[in-house]
């Protein structure tokens, strides 16, 4: 049996890799393709049934999935979209869980209201993986993608806390105030533990300054946040998300470039296997779930029909919720435009105060930095606004996934019609994935939702690079610039550094277009050819056996570091 499971795991990994490579080429989102493959595999006679403990998914698989997503979300973008993210991931989840609960209680009369709300909590949080996969491929506006990512990170915490309270209510041991108090405690304690775990591990990893050691610690960060939070009945999911956001935000300041490269590569691999593995498992378990419903003497066809009714209710609720949400976002956009002149006037007055006494100048400088950040936030709201077309795509991007799969199967055995409830949850997940997931690209194309303005992006990039190179020029022109031994730099060395700084700005600004013939492009092309030549020579030296493995390994490491600095599009 263990050998069978081992072979099944190997086959699953190879399937995930194959589907991840092929699906984008045929225009299908990877999660959707994996669900279809899983359903097909479940009907193959010689493939054994697989029973996975749902708590294993919730406690071992879910934390790394959420952490890997959170660590790559820009904290500033998250903050700027907190209204939309909070509305979708908290308020809509609560409304959906309660509405579905009352619907199920009406459709299945002998099902208690608490158990019905528990299933409502199971099916209420969308999984944004499929929607983001489709959106990025079709060029959705970055702000829309950020909202989807943020919703996918936070809504699981809301749903799981509601599920825990609803399951406790099935035994009649909680009151409404107990539920409210438990929810508040779970959120606050989860935030505190996640913040502490993120800051502590960033500090430790910055002190180690070795990629292998820092990567090893990064593997336990999700569990360092999740386990203590769950032990005190806080939201472990929220703690993991906060730890990931803190780590991602602090990495630019405290981690080395090699640490960041390792972090991205390792966590992208983990996310690929775990997240897609759950989608594959979702399709694979459908036969087992249907058999359980038969064994429980419930009607499969009626159960699927109820699942379709719940799906329709969830879609309708999301559409109705998006309408006032987009109206609120557009109101914020109008207010940002109205504030523009007022903020500019505040900056002018603060600039005048900076010429007064040193004490008032320091305070004015601090206030000016806050005003400039407000200006940047308002510029983001006005230039990357969410319109009604984007709202339509957001309303249709409500596919269910990982949490729905695991949380449904975590319902206690004492819950009446448990097998039927699990099949309802799976029906919602599979119908939304295959139905909404397959039609979302069509909707995006029909609505002609525009992505980013390429010309505006180039101007912004040039402005940022200009600031970076100007800072470098100022540093090189500083008469107090000294070596670490206190001696001044030679003029020839300083001049060479100035040329390198100018070349850096040119290389960063120039697009990596093979058809161009700029000096920066030629320099990059020659650098790549030199690295390829060096690698070929290293392979010849390895084959000859003339050099020791120590020397060969050292040179290979140096070349690998150089190649890692190239743009991926330039590496053949």
């Amino acid at each position: 049996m263990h050998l069978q499971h081992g072979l099944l795991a190997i086959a699953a990994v190879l399937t995930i890799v194959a589907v991840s490579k092929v699906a984008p080429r045929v225009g299908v989102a990877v999660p959707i393709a994996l669900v279809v493959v899983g359903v097909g595999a479940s009907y193959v006679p010689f493939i054994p049934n697989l029973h996975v403990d749902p708590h294993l998914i919730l406690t071992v698989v879910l934390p790394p999935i959420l952490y890997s997503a959170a660590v790559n979300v820009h904290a500033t973008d998250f903050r700027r979209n907190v209204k939309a993210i909070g509305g979708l991931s908290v308020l809509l989840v609560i409304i959906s869980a309660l509405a579905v609960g009352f619907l199920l209680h009406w459709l299945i009369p002998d099902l208690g209201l608490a158990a019905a709300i528990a299933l409502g909590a199971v099916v209420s949080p969308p999984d944004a993986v499929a929607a983001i996969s489709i959106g990025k491929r079709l060029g959705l506006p970055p702000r829309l993608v950020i909202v989807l990512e943020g919703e996918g990170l936070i809504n699981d915490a809301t749903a799981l806390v509601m599920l825990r309270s609803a399951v406790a209510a099935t035994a009649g041991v909680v009151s409404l105030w107990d539920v409210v108090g438990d929810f508040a405690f779970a959120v606050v304690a989860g935030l505190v533990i996640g913040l502490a775990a993120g800051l502590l591990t960033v500090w430790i990893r910055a002190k180690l300054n070795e990629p292998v050691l820092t990567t090893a610690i990064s593997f336990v960060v999700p569990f360092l946040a999740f386990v203590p939070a769950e032990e005190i009945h806080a939201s472990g999911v929220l703690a993991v998300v906060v730890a990931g956001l803190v780590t991602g935000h602090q990495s630019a300041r405290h981690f080395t470039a090699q640490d960041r490269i390792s972090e991205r590569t390792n966590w992208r691999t983990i996310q690929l296997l775990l997240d897609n593995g759950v989608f594959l498992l979702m399709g694979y378990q459908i036969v087992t779930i249907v058999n359980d419903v038969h064994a429980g003497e419930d009607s499969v066809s009626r159960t699927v029909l109820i699942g379709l009714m719940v799906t329709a209710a969830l879609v309708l609720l999301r559409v109705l919720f998006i309408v006032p949400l987009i109206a609120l976002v557009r109101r914020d956009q109008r207010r940002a435009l109205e504030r523009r002149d007022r903020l500019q006037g505040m900056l002018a007055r603060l600039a005048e105060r900076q010429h007064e006494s040193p004490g008032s100048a320091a305070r004015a400088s601090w206030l000016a930095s806050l005003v400039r950040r407000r200006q940047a936030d308002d510029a983001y709201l006005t230039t990357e606004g969410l319109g009604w077309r984007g709202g339509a795509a957001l309303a249709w991007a409500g596919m269910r996934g990982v949490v729905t799969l695991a949380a449904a199967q975590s319902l206690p055995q004492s819950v009446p019609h448990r097998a039927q409830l699990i099949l309802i949850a799976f029906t919602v997940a599979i119908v939304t994935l295959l139905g909404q997931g397959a039609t979302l690209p069509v909707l995006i194309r029909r609505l002609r939702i525009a992505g980013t303005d390429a010309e505006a992006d180039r101007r912004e990039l040039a402005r940022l690079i200009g600031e970076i190179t100007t800072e470098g020029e100022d540093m090189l022109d500083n008469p107090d610039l000294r070596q670490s031994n206190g001696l001044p730099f030679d003029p020839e060395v300083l001049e060479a550094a100035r040329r390198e700084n100018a070349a850096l700005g040119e290389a960063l600004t120039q697009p990596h277009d093979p058809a161009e013939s700029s000096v920066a492009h030629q320099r990059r092309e020659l650098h790549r050819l030199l690295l390829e030549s060096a690698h070929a020579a290293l392979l010849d030296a390895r084959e000859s056996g003339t050099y020791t493995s120590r020397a060969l390994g050292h040179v290979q490491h140096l070349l690998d570091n150089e190649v890692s600095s190239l743009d991926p599009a330039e590496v053949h």
Side-chain angles (χ1 to χ4, degrees):
M1 181 62 88
H2 291 296
L3 179 60
Q4 277 187 331
H5 288 165
L7 292 174
L8 207 58
I10 293 170
V13 171
L14 296 177
T15 300
I16 291 168
V17 172
V19 171
S20 299
K21 185 69 176 178
V22 174
R25 295 184 177 182
V26 297
V28 179
V30 174
I32 297 172
L34 284 168
V35 169
V36 174
V37 170
V39 171
S42 68
Y43 286 96
V44 177
F46 60 83
I47 297 182
N49 292 332
L50 184 64
H51 296 279
V52 178
D53 185 352
H55 295 286
L56 186 69
I57 296 177
L58 291 175
T59 59
V60 177
V61 175
L62 186 60
I65 288 176
L66 291 173
Y67 178 82
S68 62
V71 81
N72 290 309
V73 171
H74 200 289
T76 300
D77 288 344
F78 189 93
R79 175 181 59 79
R80 287 169 171 169
N81 292 285
V82 71
K83 283 185 181 179
I85 292 171
L88 290 168
S89 59
V90 179
L91 191 57
L92 179 58
V93 168
I94 293 173
I95 293 172
S96 299
L98 294 175
V100 169
F102 281 104
L103 176 63
L104 287 172
H105 185 55
W106 176 65
L107 291 171
I108 309 175
D110 57 337
L111 180 66
L113 181 59
I117 292 175
L119 186 68
V122 166
V123 299
S124 59
D127 188 315
V129 173
I132 292 169
S133 173
I134 293 168
K136 287 184 176 179
R137 178 164 50 85
L138 296 178
L140 277 183
R143 187 178 182 188
L144 200 54
V145 175
I146 284 291
V147 171
L148 286 171
E149 287 179 331
E151 179 191 11
L153 289 173
I154 304 298
N155 60 12
D156 294 340
T158 306
L160 291 176
V161 171
M162 285 197 69
L163 174 62
R164 184 169 61 199
S165 298
V167 168
T170 60
V173 295
V174 295
S175 66
L176 176 61
W177 289 112
D178 290 331
V179 172
V180 174
D182 181 60
F183 189 88
F185 174 78
V187 170
V188 174
L191 286 171
V192 172
I193 292 174
L195 183 64
L199 292 175
L200 176 63
T201 53
V202 166
W203 180 79
I204 294 173
R205 294 169 67 186
K207 296 295 182 183
L208 292 174
N209 200 25
E210 290 187 33
V212 174
L213 300 181
T214 58
T215 299
I217 290 180
S218 77
F219 290 152
V220 303
V221 175
F223 305 103
L224 188 63
F226 183 85
V227 173
E230 288 294 315
E231 283 295 315
I232 64 170
H233 301 291
S235 174
V237 168
L238 186 59
V240 170
V241 170
V242 172
L245 290 172
V246 169
T247 303
H249 184 66
Q250 296 287 323
S251 63
R253 183 179 298 274
H254 297 288
F255 294 169
T256 66
Q258 191 59 47
D259 287 339
R260 290 191 294 273
I261 292 171
S262 299
E263 179 100 346
R264 283 194 297 269
T265 303
N266 290 324
W267 281 108
R268 283 180 64 186
T269 304
I270 291 171
Q271 187 176 28
L272 170 75
L273 295 177
L274 294 183
D275 217 341
N276 289 327
V278 175
F279 284 109
L280 182 63
L281 181 65
M282 179 187 297
Y284 185 72
Q285 287 191 318
I286 191 66
V287 171
T288 302
I289 292 166
V290 169
N291 291 337
D292 289 343
V293 174
H294 276 304
E297 299 182 354
D298 284 312
S299 168
V300 172
S301 58
R302 184 173 184 274
T303 302
V304 171
L305 179 61
I306 293 174
L308 293 175
M309 294 174 68
V310 170
T311 302
L314 289 169
V315 172
L316 180 61
L317 283 169
R318 187 173 178 88
V319 171
L320 293 176
F321 188 86
I322 290 293
V323 173
L325 180 66
I326 295 299
L328 177 65
V329 170
R330 289 172 68 85
R331 187 202 67 179
D332 290 344
Q333 182 178 347
R334 290 193 299 272
R335 289 183 174 180
L337 284 170
E338 294 168 358
R339 274 195 302 265
R340 185 166 52 189
D341 293 338
R342 189 166 70 251
L343 291 176
Q344 194 60 42
M346 290 175 63
L347 273 181
R349 290 192 296 273
L350 288 170
E352 294 174 359
R353 288 179 56 186
Q354 289 180 15
H355 297 294
E356 299 174 1
S357 64
S360 62
R363 178 173 173 77
S365 177
W366 175 72
L367 290 174
S369 66
L370 295 181
V371 173
R372 280 191 289 271
R373 189 166 80 166
R374 177 74 265 183
Q375 281 184 317
D377 290 346
D378 286 351
Y380 174 86
L381 293 176
T382 55
T383 58
E384 299 195 26
L386 281 178
W388 293 111
R389 287 193 240 182
L394 196 61
W396 199 244
M399 291 81 88
R400 269 61 183 175
V402 175
V403 170
T404 297
L405 164 73
Q409 296 180 89
S410 70
L411 291 171
Q413 296 289 339
S414 59
V415 172
H417 302 282
R418 181 177 180 273
Q420 187 179 20
L421 296 181
I422 293 173
L423 182 56
I424 291 172
F426 269 65
T427 301
V428 172
I430 291 178
V431 169
T432 54
L433 270 172
L434 299 183
Q436 291 179 292
T439 55
L440 182 60
V442 178
L443 178 67
I444 292 171
R445 293 191 188 99
R446 289 287 179 87
L447 293 175
R448 298 179 181 176
I449 300 173
T452 56
D453 184 340
E455 183 58 35
D457 281 353
R458 281 194 290 271
R459 289 196 299 269
E460 183 183 30
L461 178 64
R463 190 168 67 250
L464 175 59
I465 292 170
E467 289 185 15
I468 292 172
T469 52
T470 299
E471 185 70 22
E473 291 171 4
D474 293 343
M475 185 268 293
L476 294 172
D477 291 338
N478 186 351
D480 296 328
L481 182 65
R482 292 289 186 272
Q483 302 179 54
S484 57
N485 59 11
L487 297 176
F489 288 92
D490 292 337
E492 296 82 2
V493 176
L494 284 173
E495 187 58 34
R498 289 190 181 92
R499 289 195 298 270
E500 289 180 7
N501 186 57
L504 173 64
E506 183 185 0
L508 290 173
T509 306
Q510 291 292 335
H512 292 186
D513 183 359
E516 69 180 22
S517 57
S518 69
V519 172
H521 174 72
Q522 293 178 51
R523 188 181 295 112
R524 289 196 302 269
E525 182 74 8
L526 281 175
H527 185 52
R528 180 184 61 77
L529 292 172
L530 283 171
L531 288 174
E532 289 180 357
S533 173
H535 191 257
L538 179 64
L539 292 177
D540 290 340
R542 186 185 296 276
E543 291 296 324
S544 70
T546 307
Y547 297 93
T548 65
S549 59
R550 297 187 304 279
L552 292 169
H554 183 69
V555 174
Q556 182 73 73
H557 177 69
L558 294 176
L559 287 176
D560 288 345
N561 285 339
E562 285 294 317
V563 172
S564 69
S565 67
L566 293 176
D567 188 287
E570 298 178 359
V571 181
H572 292 175

